């Protein structure tokens, strides 16, 4: 039996290498593409993985993996990819708001992902094992605090590609995909056409062709195929409200260590998290057309020096100024995009091809949920396309049925992570008094700790998949904000004459909360 399996692997490998034919052709060897290739190959599928540039990427995205994403990575058999790359353990979030601060650790959970608070959380703290991750008391469930990882994106991608290159069912080609290949008498996608460099010295290139029963497009946020494969409409164009400008800080002290830091003040939010023993990533949000970042005010560099640096903790400022002055250039940037998943994607309209990853769905990177969504999606996708369910990947009807289920089942985590990212960005980048009131209420909610923060941070970390819990906490924050605002407005009994105005403002704050939350929830729900 082993001989038959080995010979089948050899035949499939020869078919991939010589004829460029496989069960699956995947475009893009990034986070999603590599994970999908590995998962499908583990099911015995023959996979061709295409990537235009196989060198280690040097990018400022995909550097923070939430606990839910790490769990999904481990389910895929790729957990080892965060080892040996100087990855940093992440224990939760640390928020600095106008000088006040609060640490929000990931909550205590059991093996089924149930979140524990109060006495149960205290119990696990008192029974923590030597590695600091698990505990058990009174013959109850095994409890632990989950962990995330942060790292250099390029090192992590190189590990994923290495895992794929070592898999007997995967062949990787370095080539640039230019278009999909359709059938002569149908709209069926049969594979892709590419251009391959044959001589690096002369730059000579030649056309190439790759064929598969199913083609997966995962070519990232700037996908060239999105508009080709999706019907015209808002789902084909990402919404960009701001950009992240990135600095790499060296030996930057910012306690507590092992936390993702969010600094909120007069500027838009600033993220800082360690990506190596000596390196810390700083991501500075700059809204589009921000007057403070205009040429007249010194551009982005002027904005960072004059507005961002003063609100950072004193211990961080020297490292930021050193990184900013290192080469005198504008820091590298990336657009912060939002693209809700389209229910019109991956249907019989374009049989034979699937659009996935960031090409299919994006959210603001404020909460670091992108890779968690990607790996969780791959786990679900692999289960729905398993050979026991879909023996023949050329069966367009079976694929469409699987993808309809994929679209709805993934909402258990995507609706939460995407809505949180968009809603929190609106609050943290507040540009009116209602949003500022909600931002104050959000930070006060964080300060309450315990049950008030355990579930929200579990939602953000991809651990808890209950959208109704998100709605409950969001509107609780809104009412905390209303209470704080009314207390501030009225002040004391001598200010009771202001109560009618305070009530009107309370209604406006609640309305603003609905405007922030409900449209995003609706777009994520359909």
């Amino acid at each position: 039996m082993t001989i038959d399996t080995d010979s089948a692997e050899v035949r499939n490998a020869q078919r991939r290498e010589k004829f460029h034919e496989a069960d699956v052709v995947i475009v893009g060897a990034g986070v999603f593409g590599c994970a999908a290739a590995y998962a499908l190959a583990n099911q015995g599928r023959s996979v061709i993985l295409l990537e235009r540039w196989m060198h280690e990427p040097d990018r400022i995205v995909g550097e923070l993996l939430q606990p839910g994403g790490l769990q999904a990575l481990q389910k895929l058999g790729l957990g080892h990819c965060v080892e040996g790359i100087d990855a940093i353990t992440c224990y939760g979030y640390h928020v600095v708001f106008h000088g006040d601060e609060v640490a929000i650790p990931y909550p205590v959970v059991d093996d089924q992902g149930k979140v524990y608070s109060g006495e149960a959380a205290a119990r696990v703290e008192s029974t923590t094992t030597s590695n600091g991750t698990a505990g058990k008391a009174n013959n109850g469930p095994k409890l632990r605090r989950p962990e995330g990882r942060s790292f250099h994106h390029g090192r992590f991608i190189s590990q994923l590609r290495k895992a794929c290159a070592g898999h007997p069912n995967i062949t990787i080609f370095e080539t640039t995909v230019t278009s999909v290949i359709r059938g002569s008498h149908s709209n069926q996608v049969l594979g892709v056409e590419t251009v391959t460099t044959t001589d690096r010295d002369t730059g000579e290139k030649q056309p190439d062709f790759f064929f598969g029963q199913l083609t997966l497009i995962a070519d990232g946020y700037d996908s060239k195929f999105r508009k080709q494969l999706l019907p015209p409409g808002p789902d084909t164009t990402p919404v960009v409200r701001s950009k992240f400008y990135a600095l790499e800080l060296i030996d930057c002290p910012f306690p507590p260590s092992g936390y993702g830091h969010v600094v909120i003040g007069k500027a838009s939010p600033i993220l800082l998290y360690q990506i190596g023993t000596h390196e810390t990533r700083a991501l500075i949000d700059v809204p589009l057309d921000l007057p403070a970042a205009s040429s007249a005010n010194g551009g982005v560099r002027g904005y960072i020096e004059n507005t961002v640096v003063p609100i950072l903790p004193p211990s961080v400022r020297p490292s930021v100024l050193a990184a900013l002055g290192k080469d005198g250039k504008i820091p590298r940037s990336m657009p912060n995009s939002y693209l809700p998943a389209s229910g019109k994607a991956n249907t019989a309209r374009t049989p034979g091809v699937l659009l996935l990853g960031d090409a299919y769905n994006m959210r603001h990177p404020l909460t670091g949920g992108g890779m968690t969504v990607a790996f969780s999606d791959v786990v679900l996708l692999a289960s729905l396309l398993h050979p026991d369910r879909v023996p023949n990947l050329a069966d367009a009807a079976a694929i469409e049925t699987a993808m309809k289920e994929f679209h709805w089942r993934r909402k258990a985590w995507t609706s939460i992570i995407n809505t949180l990212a968009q809603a929190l960005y609106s609050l943290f980048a507040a540009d009116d008094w209602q949003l500022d009131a909600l931002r104050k209420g959000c930070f006060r909610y964080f300060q309450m700790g315990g049950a008030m923060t355990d579930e929200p941070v579990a939602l953000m970390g991809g651990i808890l998949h209950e959208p109704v819990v998100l709605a409950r906490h969001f509107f609780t924050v809104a009412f905390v904000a209303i209470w704080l605002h009314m207390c501030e407005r009225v002040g004391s009994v001598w200010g009771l004459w202001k109560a009618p105005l305070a009530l009107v403002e309370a209604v406006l704050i609640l309305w603003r909360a609905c405007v922030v939350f409900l449209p995003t929830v609706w777009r994520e729900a359909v």
Side-chain angles (χ1 to χ4, degrees):
M1 189 70 181
T2 303
I3 296 175
D4 292 340
T5 302
D6 290 343
S7 62
E9 286 182 355
V10 171
R11 288 196 301 272
N12 285 332
Q14 291 175 340
R15 183 167 153 245
R16 292 192 300 270
E17 293 166 6
K18 186 175 181 179
F19 301 107
H20 294 180
E21 295 178 353
D23 296 328
V24 186
V25 173
I26 298 179
V27 178
V31 170
F32 190 96
C34 286
Y38 198 85
L40 295 174
N42 276 344
Q43 297 175 350
R45 307 285 194 186
S46 177
V47 180
I48 288 175
L49 181 59
L50 306 177
E51 171 59 39
R52 66 180 181 84
W53 185 249
M54 284 299 293
H55 292 69
E56 180 174 299
D58 182 19
R59 301 179 65 189
I60 61 171
V61 296
E63 296 176 318
L64 178 60
L65 183 60
Q66 299 281 10
L70 184 59
Q71 292 170 14
L73 188 71
Q74 292 165 346
K75 287 180 182 178
L76 295 169
L78 291 167
H80 63 280
C81 291
V82 296
E83 306 298 331
I85 58 173
D86 195 25
I88 303 299
T89 301
C90 184
Y91 304 106
Y93 290 90
H94 174 240
V95 182
V96 180
F97 180 66
H98 290 287
D100 291 332
E101 57 185 282
V102 60
I104 312 171
Y106 293 123
V108 172
V109 300
D110 62 19
D111 290 338
Q112 282 69 49
K114 180 181 178 181
V115 176
Y116 287 78
S117 299
E119 293 182 3
R123 186 169 69 247
V124 75
E125 297 297 343
S126 65
T127 57
T128 302
T129 58
S130 58
N131 65 9
T133 59
K136 187 174 181 179
N138 301 327
N139 296 318
K142 186 177 181 180
L143 305 177
R144 60 187 175 85
R145 285 195 182 274
E147 300 171 348
R149 293 289 188 276
S150 54
F151 37 68
H152 286 271
H153 172 82
R155 296 176 188 174
F156 179 58
I157 293 297
S158 293
Q159 288 287 84
L160 290 175
R161 291 175 179 176
K162 182 180 178 181
C164 289
H167 200 293
N169 291 334
I170 302 174
T171 301
I172 304 176
F173 293 88
E174 188 174 47
T175 186
T176 301
V177 179
T178 57
S179 62
V180 296
I181 301 171
R182 300 181 186 270
S184 302
H185 305 289
S186 71
N187 200 34
Q188 179 92 12
V189 171
L190 307 176
V192 295
E193 183 175 353
T194 75
V195 174
T196 303
T197 300
T198 55
D199 190 325
R200 293 195 180 279
D201 294 331
T202 64
E204 183 180 349
K205 300 179 180 180
Q206 69 176 24
D208 221 334
F209 306 89
F210 296 86
F211 298 92
Q213 293 179 334
L214 184 65
T215 300
L216 269 59
I217 304 289
D219 60 338
Y221 74 92
D222 193 26
S223 172
K224 67 171 69 174
F225 296 101
R226 187 184 297 121
K227 289 186 178 181
Q228 295 180 26
L229 300 175
L230 289 179
D235 294 339
T236 62
T237 306
V239 176
V240 179
R241 294 170 54 189
S242 67
K243 289 183 178 181
F244 264 148
Y245 287 83
L247 297 172
E248 188 171 303
L249 316 182
I250 305 300
D251 294 324
C252 176
F254 195 168
S257 61
Y259 280 74
H261 306 280
V262 183
V263 180
I264 308 167
K266 294 181 180 179
S268 280
I270 304 112
L271 303 185
L272 298 102
Y273 49 89
Q274 206 170 342
I275 56 175
T277 302
H278 299 285
E279 303 86 24
T280 295
R281 174 68 71 211
L283 293 176
I284 299 161
D285 184 80
V286 181
L288 300 182
D289 301 320
L290 182 70
S294 66
S295 299
N297 290 311
V300 171
R301 289 178 59 86
Y303 172 73
I304 295 173
E305 291 174 346
N306 302 325
T307 304
V308 173
V309 171
I311 70 172
L312 293 172
S315 63
V316 177
R317 295 172 193 170
S319 297
V320 172
L321 290 173
L324 189 63
K326 192 173 183 180
D327 56 13
K329 297 179 180 178
I330 297 175
R332 290 188 297 162
S333 67
M334 58 168 281
N336 296 326
S337 306
Y338 175 52
L339 181 71
S342 172
K344 299 175 183 177
N346 305 326
T347 65
R349 179 178 179 273
T350 51
V353 64
L354 302 177
L355 187 72
L356 296 162
D358 279 354
Y360 169 65
N361 182 211
M362 289 182 282
R363 76 292 309 151
H364 195 288
L366 175 68
T367 57
M371 288 192 293
T372 295
V373 169
F375 292 133
S376 300
D377 279 359
V378 172
V379 170
L380 175 59
L381 179 72
S383 69
L384 295 175
L385 297 184
H386 193 279
D388 291 343
R389 297 188 58 161
V390 185
N392 181 12
L393 293 177
D395 185 343
I399 295 295
E400 182 175 16
T401 298
M403 295 314 295
K404 284 181 178 177
E405 186 173 348
F406 174 81
H407 177 75
W408 292 109
R409 284 180 57 183
R410 70 189 293 271
K411 292 184 181 297
W413 54 86
T414 60
S415 63
I416 293 170
I417 294 173
N418 294 352
T419 301
L420 262 175
Q422 299 308 118
L424 286 178
Y425 178 71
S426 294
L427 267 58
F428 290 172
D431 57 4
D432 60 46
W433 70 267
Q434 296 106 318
L435 286 175
D436 186 54
L438 288 167
R439 182 169 62 174
K440 291 176 182 177
C442 184
F443 184 73
R444 182 68 188 93
Y445 201 68
F446 290 159
Q447 288 180 313
M448 295 178 185
M452 300 298 183
T453 56
D454 285 342
E455 287 183 339
V457 79
L459 293 167
M460 200 179 306
I463 305 164
L464 184 61
H465 300 159
E466 297 181 21
V468 68
V469 174
L470 171 60
R472 173 164 54 83
H473 281 283
F474 186 86
F475 283 103
T476 302
V477 166
F479 284 108
V480 170
I482 289 170
W483 173 252
L484 291 175
H485 184 78
M486 292 184 70
C487 289
E488 182 180 320
R489 172 64 71 187
V490 174
S492 66
V493 293
W494 305 109
L496 287 177
W497 63 273
K498 300 178 183 178
L501 175 61
L503 288 172
V504 171
E505 292 177 338
V507 172
L508 293 175
I509 292 171
L510 182 59
W511 171 254
R512 196 72 172 90
C514 292
V515 170
V516 166
F517 187 74
L518 295 180
T520 304
V521 169
W522 172 253
R523 295 198 72 181
E524 291 297 325
V526 297

